[in-house]
């Protein structure tokens, strides 16, 4: 039912850019310990956070220029994971190394690819340019959940819960009753709602200064396996397209930490009150409280389903579950495809440098940064 394994051949948010510095950051991602830091030229590095000698986390060591020295016995590793120094040894095999992970940095986020590095195409990173655009103002935060990542994926695809879980902030009675249209392709699920002449929730009254009834549109967009953009468009009821809409784009990067714990990186971009820090401060506090309610619900569900494993209690699926159920299927298909690929004979490898150069060329043409 609820996937607790996620594909490794995919991009996940590992950290916010400001978190990755010249001090080594240790973070568990997809069940693996990862050490993150920056080279002296500012480029980020990600290595598995364990020395191959006696497993001490490399994050407990120290940086020597761009290299990291284990704090236990002094083995030193370069940014590509190769071991360049073993005290007392003059010759080091090329096979002595730790795993290094491809990274991609854009719009204040550091993305990591923990699968086959030859498949790490930055063009697969979902668009999220709103969060560093002069045309949008942003608020952001980072949360942690003691539950599997799929619970948040499904929470974000079934927004009928706004009526019942968030009635004092972003919910209204009409959300749960509004007709839902679900569409999807191989890796993306979209759930649409259009509501006309409905009540305005307290959160939008506060930040948009809207009184009375509104016309409200919602699109929950999921990019498998772990990224969402939730769009909200609001106008005074009956005002029509001639009146500019208040628009809000909410980013949710849902990164599995372990099988049953999750990192939650969120951001809210708005096209109004661009120079009002008071609106931003209110959004940071209010949105964080909303997402804490989501987390509390998901953690309560985790407590129940964990007690039933390896089976699950019986669940009833209803119309609004089309999006969440499709998300489950996509993740299951991605994991199964990786399993089949690893079991099959290894295909002819394309040169990694050539693949990355080609990807970088495509991104330059699109005006985006190349892979790190």
């Amino acid at each position: 039912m609820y996937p607790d394994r996620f594909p490794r051949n995919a991009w996940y948010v590992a950290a916010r850019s400001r978190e990755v510095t010249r001090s080594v950051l240790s973070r568990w991602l997809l069940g693996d310990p990862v050490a993150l830091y920056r080279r002296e030229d500012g480029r980020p590095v990600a290595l598995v956070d364990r020395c191959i000698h006696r497993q001490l986390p490399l994050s407990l060591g120290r940086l020597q220029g761009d290299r990291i020295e284990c704090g236990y016995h002094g083995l030193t590793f370069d940014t590509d994971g190769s071991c360049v120094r073993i005290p007392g040894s003059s010759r080091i095999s090329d096979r002595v190394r730790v795993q290094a992970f491809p990274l991609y940095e854009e719009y204040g986020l550091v993305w990591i690819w923990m699968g086959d590095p030859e498949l790490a195409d930055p063009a697969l990173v979902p668009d999220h340019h709103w969060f560093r655009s002069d045309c949008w103002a942003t608020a952001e935060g980072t949360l942690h959940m003691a539950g599997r990542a799929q619970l948040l994926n499904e929470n974000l695809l079934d927004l009928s819960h706004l009526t019942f879980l968030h009635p004092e902030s972003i919910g209204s009675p009409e959300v749960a009753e509004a007709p839902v249209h679900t569409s999807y392709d191989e890796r993306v699920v979209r759930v649409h709602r259009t509501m006309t002449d409905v009540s305005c929730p307290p959160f939008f009254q506060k930040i948009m200064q809207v009184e009375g009834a509104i016309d409200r549109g919602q699109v929950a967009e999921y990019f498998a396996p772990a990224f969402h953009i939730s769009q909200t468009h609001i106008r005074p009821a009956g005002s029509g397209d001639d009146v500019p809409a208040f628009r809000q784009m909410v980013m949710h990067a849902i990164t599995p930490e372990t099988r049953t714990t999750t990192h939650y990186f969120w951001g809210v971009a708005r096209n109004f009150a661009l120079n009002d820090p008071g609106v931003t401060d209110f959004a940071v506090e209010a949105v964080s409280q909303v997402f804490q309610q989501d987390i509390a619900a998901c953690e309560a569900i985790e407590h129940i389903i964990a007690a039933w494993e390896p089976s699950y209690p019986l669940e009833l699926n209803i119309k609004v579950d089309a999006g969440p159920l499709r998300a489950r299927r996509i993740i299951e298909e991605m994991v199964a495809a990786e399993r089949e690929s690893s079991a099959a004979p290894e295909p002819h490898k394309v040169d990694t440098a050539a693949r990355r150069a080609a990807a970088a060329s495509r991104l330059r043409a699109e005006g985006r940064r190349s892979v790190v």
Side-chain angles (χ1 to χ4, degrees):
M1 291 178 64
Y2 298 98
D4 59 8
R5 286 191 57 200
F6 277 70
R8 299 180 73 85
N9 287 328
W11 290 104
Y12 296 87
V13 173
R16 296 190 180 278
S17 291
R18 63 174 177 267
E19 294 182 281
V20 184
T21 67
R22 288 289 293 167
S23 296
V24 184
L25 170 68
S26 179
R27 177 158 287 167
W28 284 77
L29 305 168
L30 274 69
D32 284 347
V34 178
L36 295 147
Y37 66 94
R38 290 194 185 274
R39 309 180 203 210
E40 291 182 325
D41 65 6
R43 288 181 293 167
V45 176
L47 303 175
V48 67
D49 193 13
R50 58 180 183 83
C51 180
I52 57 173
H53 176 224
R54 287 295 181 266
Q55 312 302 322
L56 186 77
L58 292 175
S59 56
L60 297 180
R62 60 193 61 83
L63 294 182
Q64 303 287 0
D66 287 344
R67 297 167 172 173
I68 188 166
E69 178 187 87
C70 177
Y72 202 7
H73 298 100
L75 278 73
T76 303
F77 300 91
D78 211 339
T79 57
D80 65 355
S82 61
C83 184
V84 296
R85 178 173 180 260
I86 300 176
S89 298
S90 58
R91 300 175 62 183
I92 304 174
S93 169
D94 291 340
R95 293 177 294 178
V96 180
R97 60 177 54 242
V98 297
Q99 186 174 6
F101 302 102
L103 296 176
Y104 177 72
E105 186 170 20
E106 186 178 45
Y107 306 132
L109 298 175
V110 177
W111 298 73
I112 191 167
W113 184 280
M114 302 187 70
D116 183 348
E118 294 185 0
L119 302 178
D121 185 350
L124 298 175
V125 172
D127 181 25
H128 53 292
H129 71 274
W130 304 277
F131 298 93
R132 286 297 183 273
S133 170
D134 292 338
C135 299
W136 297 79
T138 59
E140 61 187 30
T142 303
L143 299 168
H144 184 268
M145 183 177 80
R148 65 198 70 197
Q150 185 62 15
L151 294 172
L152 273 177
N153 278 339
E154 299 191 14
N155 168 280
L156 295 166
L157 278 169
D158 175 13
L159 295 181
S160 66
H161 78 267
L162 269 59
T163 296
F164 310 102
L165 195 59
H166 312 302
E168 76 290 347
S169 54
I170 60 175
S172 66
E174 299 88 352
V175 178
E177 301 297 335
V180 176
H181 174 68
T182 302
S183 60
Y184 56 85
D185 55 33
E186 186 178 3
R187 291 290 181 267
V188 181
V189 180
R190 296 177 180 88
V191 180
H192 303 252
R193 273 183 177 82
T194 300
M195 295 163 277
T196 58
D197 196 20
V198 297
S199 56
C200 185
F203 175 81
F204 296 124
Q205 292 180 33
K206 175 72 173 180
I207 67 171
M208 298 174 183
Q209 300 297 302
V210 176
E211 296 182 357
I214 59 172
D215 295 335
R216 178 179 182 181
Q218 287 181 334
V219 181
E221 195 168 24
Y222 168 61
F223 301 87
F227 191 78
H228 300 251
I229 294 290
S230 303
Q231 305 179 38
T232 301
H233 302 193
I234 288 178
R235 291 185 175 92
S239 59
D241 294 342
D242 292 338
V243 175
F246 294 96
R247 297 182 62 201
Q248 184 171 270
M249 312 290 285
V250 186
M251 174 201 77
H252 317 264
I254 311 299
T255 303
E257 178 185 43
T258 65
R259 189 180 69 84
T260 56
T261 58
T262 305
H263 302 290
Y264 186 0
F265 304 91
W266 64 266
V268 178
R270 65 182 189 273
N271 72 341
F272 56 91
L274 300 185
N275 299 311
D276 189 338
V279 172
T280 299
D281 292 343
F282 174 78
V284 169
E285 180 66 24
V287 172
S288 180
Q289 289 179 6
V290 169
F291 294 159
Q292 289 281 14
Q293 291 173 331
D294 292 324
I295 287 173
C298 291
E299 289 179 340
I301 295 170
E302 177 66 42
H303 183 71
I304 294 295
I305 62 177
W308 283 73
E309 288 184 321
S311 62
Y312 286 96
L314 180 66
E315 284 192 338
L316 170 69
N317 293 316
I318 58 179
K319 186 175 181 180
V320 293
D321 294 318
L325 291 176
R326 185 60 199 173
R328 292 186 194 181
R329 178 66 60 85
I330 291 174
I331 291 175
E332 290 168 354
E333 291 172 350
M334 294 177 74
V335 171
E338 286 186 9
R339 187 183 300 116
E340 292 173 6
S341 176
S342 63
E346 189 171 4
H348 175 68
K349 288 189 175 181
V350 179
D351 178 72
T352 302
R355 288 182 66 102
R356 292 188 180 177
S361 178
R362 288 197 303 274
L363 291 172
R364 284 194 295 270
E366 297 171 7
R368 303 172 74 190
R369 298 184 196 173
S370 60
V371 70
V372 177

